[in-house]
Amino acid sequence: MKDALLLVGRTHTRDIAQFHADRLRERGVADRVSVATYDGDPTELDPDTEGTVYVVPMAPAPDRDTTQAIPGAIPDAHHCEPVGTSPAIVRGLADRARETLSPGPDVSLGLVAFGGGPDSSSWRTTEQQADRLRETVAYGDVTTAYLLENPAVECLRYNLPGKHAVVVPFFLAPCEETDHAIPGKLELDRGGLVYADPLGTHEAVTDAIEAEFAKARAIGSGTAAVR
């Protein structure tokens, strides 16, 4: 029986997911690599489920869709963790910051995520990736902020201690939040902050997808433990 890798996400992730699917096909990681997206409800999904299917959610963190709705819509598949939870993603976040503003002891990095309430999966994932950034980058400070919880995005410019600061959106693809909501709340037109791109087509995302797929296959064959 053949292994199939399926990337599942909301509609705005389709182009980015297709890009990574093409790269994964070039790497030959699975017999089939495909993309399925939905607008409002994962029950809209109607993917090809022939063979042994491994689903990687194109999302930065676990949420109701990745833990309940998508598995409910594709019940016979093996469901992996969202791509944003992978340690590989830190390399992409660091590069997006570095491309926009070089690191230094007087330069701060702000990491902005969607959020979902105190101690939500989004919060835990974002804080974990921020900790990893603190261990690997040469920025003087790494500070987190959220659209839906505190510390709020609109307070970020006052919470960054460096003389200069770059803000990186912890999102996989451009969307309303990255293009309008976050820049508006940061008041970028006031100056003092520079704004990086979301992860997008960065190779770290491809690496993270491949790693989650490999981990799930290993778990399925009894050679690894669930995290």
Side-chain angles (χ1 to χ4, degrees):
M1 186 175 291
K2 296 183 176 181
D3 285 347
L5 173 57
L6 176 63
L7 310 184
V8 175
R10 291 188 174 273
T11 303
H12 75 272
T13 68
R14 180 182 292 124
D15 290 346
I16 295 300
Q18 290 287 5
F19 182 95
H20 292 293
D22 289 344
R23 188 181 275 159
L24 289 160
R25 291 186 196 102
E26 292 173 359
R27 294 183 181 184
V29 302
D31 297 298
R32 186 175 76 251
V33 182
S34 56
V35 171
T37 59
Y38 58 95
D39 189 14
D41 191 330
T43 56
E44 302 169 10
L45 294 167
D46 186 24
D48 180 358
T49 55
E50 181 182 353
T52 304
V53 179
Y54 295 83
V55 175
V56 176
M58 294 296 290
D63 58 14
R64 184 185 177 280
D65 281 1
T66 67
T67 59
Q68 299 179 45
I70 294 172
I74 316 172
D76 296 327
H78 298 273
H79 292 272
C80 307
E81 293 188 63
V83 66
T85 64
S86 172
I89 289 297
V90 170
R91 175 163 47 90
L93 295 170
D95 283 351
R96 288 294 182 247
R98 193 179 299 112
E99 291 163 1
T100 311
L101 186 64
S102 297
D106 62 343
V107 182
S108 295
L109 190 162
L111 186 64
V112 176
F114 193 77
D119 202 35
S120 65
S121 294
S122 175
W123 180 87
R124 289 192 295 272
T125 300
T126 305
E127 294 300 323
Q128 184 177 47
Q129 298 293 33
D131 285 341
R132 289 169 174 156
L133 281 168
R134 293 181 186 107
E135 295 171 357
T136 57
V137 299
Y139 289 94
D141 179 80
V142 177
T143 300
T144 55
Y146 300 88
L147 279 169
L148 296 184
E149 62 191 88
N150 291 322
V153 175
E154 48 265 51
C155 300
L156 184 59
R157 67 165 52 245
Y158 307 106
N159 294 335
L160 292 167
K163 293 182 180 178
H164 310 282
V166 55
V167 177
V168 182
F170 185 22
F171 288 74
L172 292 180
C175 56
E176 169 65 24
E177 287 78 15
T178 64
D179 293 348
H180 300 289
I182 295 172
K185 289 179 180 294
L186 290 173
E187 298 181 290
L188 292 178
D189 56 350
R190 289 176 53 189
L193 299 175
V194 292
Y195 187 59
D197 292 329
L199 288 158
T201 60
H202 196 286
E203 193 165 7
V205 177
T206 315
D207 295 341
I209 296 168
E210 184 175 356
E212 292 304 317
F213 175 48
K215 182 175 68 177
R217 285 204 296 188
I219 291 169
S221 64
T223 59
V226 176
R227 182 163 67 189

